[in-house]
Amino acid sequence: MGQFTAHGRVRCVVFWGRALVILGALQLWVCAAESSDAELQPSVFVERGAAGSVGSVPLFSPLNLAVKFPEDLEVTNHCLELLHLFGQRYEALANCLVSNARPLKVCQNCYMANNSFSEIYANITSDQSMPENMSCHYSLMRLDRLMLLNSLYSKVAEIWSVADCNNCLSADLQSLSNSTLKFLDRLNTSLSCFEEYQGNHSELCKQCKTTYKDLNDLYGNTKLCIDIEDGMNVTRRLWSKHYNCSIQSDEIVPVIAVSGFMLFLPVIFYLSNFLHSEQKKRKLINPKRVRSSQSLMNIQDRLS
């Protein structure tokens, strides 16, 4: 009975030992899960109230990037709408400029986008009273040192000014001018002629001579923007360098005549100078002979 009791005690100790090992492993797993959840949630500590109730109080408040400023510093909804439109129209104009950078057609294809962008900028910078009696000029343009909107507009306006795009537009800037449309039509005619005879350069020079000359003459009488300048430069390079064509001007004969006259001017000058000096010599000799003859006659009269 004593042996059985001792053997049973040993078995009980082994059983409870295994049970404790399993419980310990389970407890470690639960603790690990709780610690991982704690990393995702703000830390809290337990505070027991006066009535024994338990409440959780956060040790720190989570970051919130959408913290609202005081009402006098907030941007009105109307100004935010203008800001959104400014971004949309700036993006549209930038895409238009880049897509028309080569071949260069920024003035003829992007003037509408530029007008829309300038319009929204004028609405923002105007000092007129907006809804809610709030002007967007200060809140969007001058509230910070960066003045981002003003910098973006200035860069675009500089590009438009350097390109002289307004020279190719009508007075109200809402369409291309008649002279620009006429030049573009002549330009397309010349390029089409080049393309038609590009397999035979000698024939190209003959057949496209008239259209190319008309384009050159029109270029000298048209207000220039970057589109016209670039189009004419490309056409001239094709005509002279790529196709090895040349065109004689109608003024070449007068130029040759004037040049020949200028070359003979020194000969005429020295010849006239030589003849004039010979005449002076003759005039100086003749009076001496006359005087000598008169003096001899006077001497003879006295002697007689």
Side-chain angles (χ1 to χ4, degrees):
M1 184 67 177
Q3 293 180 354
F4 176 77
T5 303
H7 182 68
R9 289 179 179 177
V10 171
R11 294 181 63 183
C12 289
V13 170
V14 172
F15 172 79
W16 286 112
R18 293 178 178 176
L20 290 175
V21 170
I22 294 174
L23 290 175
L26 181 61
Q27 185 177 7
L28 289 175
W29 179 80
V30 173
C31 291
E34 291 178 351
S35 63
S36 62
D37 292 338
E39 292 178 359
L40 301 177
Q41 299 178 356
S43 302
V44 297
F45 68 93
V46 179
E47 180 182 23
R48 190 175 298 275
S53 60
V54 178
S56 61
V57 179
L59 292 177
F60 62 88
S61 59
L63 283 176
N64 186 2
L65 297 180
V67 174
K68 297 185 66 175
F69 291 105
E71 293 184 0
D72 56 342
L73 296 180
E74 286 186 356
V75 181
T76 62
N77 292 331
H78 180 74
C79 294
L80 290 178
E81 292 178 1
L82 292 179
L83 181 62
H84 182 65
L85 285 175
F86 182 92
Q88 287 182 333
R89 296 184 183 184
Y90 177 82
E91 181 183 3
L93 178 57
N95 290 334
C96 183
L97 293 176
V98 172
S99 60
N100 289 279
R102 195 46 52 191
L104 201 55
K105 296 181 180 180
V106 294
C107 298
Q108 53 187 305
N109 292 339
C110 300
Y111 67 91
M112 293 299 294
N114 183 72
N115 290 343
S116 298
F117 180 66
S118 300
E119 179 183 2
I120 192 62
Y121 180 81
N123 291 339
I124 293 175
T125 55
S126 64
D127 291 328
Q128 297 178 357
S129 179
M130 300 294 180
E132 304 176 16
N133 296 324
M134 186 68 179
S135 175
C136 300
H137 185 193
Y138 179 78
S139 60
L140 296 181
M141 302 294 297
R142 306 182 62 85
L143 191 59
D144 55 78
R145 179 173 58 86
L146 183 59
M147 294 190 295
L148 180 60
L149 271 62
N150 183 66
S151 299
L152 293 175
Y153 178 80
S154 298
K155 293 299 181 182
V156 173
E158 181 181 0
I159 294 174
W160 200 256
S161 176
V162 171
D164 291 324
C165 286
N166 289 346
N167 288 343
C168 290
L169 301 178
S170 60
D172 58 358
L173 305 180
Q174 298 299 319
S175 62
L176 295 176
S177 63
N178 293 332
S179 60
T180 301
L181 292 174
K182 186 176 181 180
F183 178 85
L184 294 177
D185 181 67
R186 296 279 181 88
L187 178 64
N188 292 331
T189 302
S190 297
L191 294 178
S192 298
C193 186
F194 292 172
E195 185 178 359
E196 182 179 358
Y197 296 99
Q198 61 180 349
N200 189 344
H201 289 186
S202 59
E203 190 68 17
L204 184 147
C205 296
K206 295 178 182 179
Q207 299 297 331
C208 303
K209 177 181 177 180
T210 302
T211 57
Y212 179 75
K213 185 179 180 300
D214 292 342
L215 181 67
N216 261 313
D217 295 340
L218 186 61
Y219 178 76
N221 299 321
T222 305
K223 288 186 177 181
L224 303 180
C225 63
I226 194 64
D227 292 10
I228 292 179
E229 292 179 6
D230 186 74
M232 193 68 223
N233 290 336
V234 171
T235 307
R236 284 175 173 173
R237 286 197 298 268
L238 289 173
W239 177 262
S240 60
K241 294 183 178 181
H242 187 71
Y243 300 124
N244 296 322
C245 298
S246 61
I247 183 171
Q248 293 182 352
S249 176
D250 295 337
E251 299 177 353
I252 189 170
V253 175
V255 169
I256 293 176
V258 172
S259 300
F261 176 76
M262 295 298 292
L263 289 175
F264 280 101
L265 273 180
V267 178
I268 296 173
F269 172 76
Y270 286 114
L271 182 60
S272 61
N273 191 23
F274 174 76
L275 295 175
H276 186 67
S277 62
E278 288 294 329
Q279 291 178 357
K280 282 187 175 181
K281 287 181 180 179
R282 292 176 182 177
K283 289 180 180 179
L284 289 174
I285 292 174
N286 290 333
K288 288 183 180 180
R289 292 178 181 177
V290 172
R291 287 179 182 178
S292 61
S293 61
Q294 288 179 355
S295 61
L296 288 174
M297 291 177 63
N298 291 332
I299 293 173
Q300 288 177 0
D301 291 339
R302 288 178 184 178
L303 289 176
S304 61

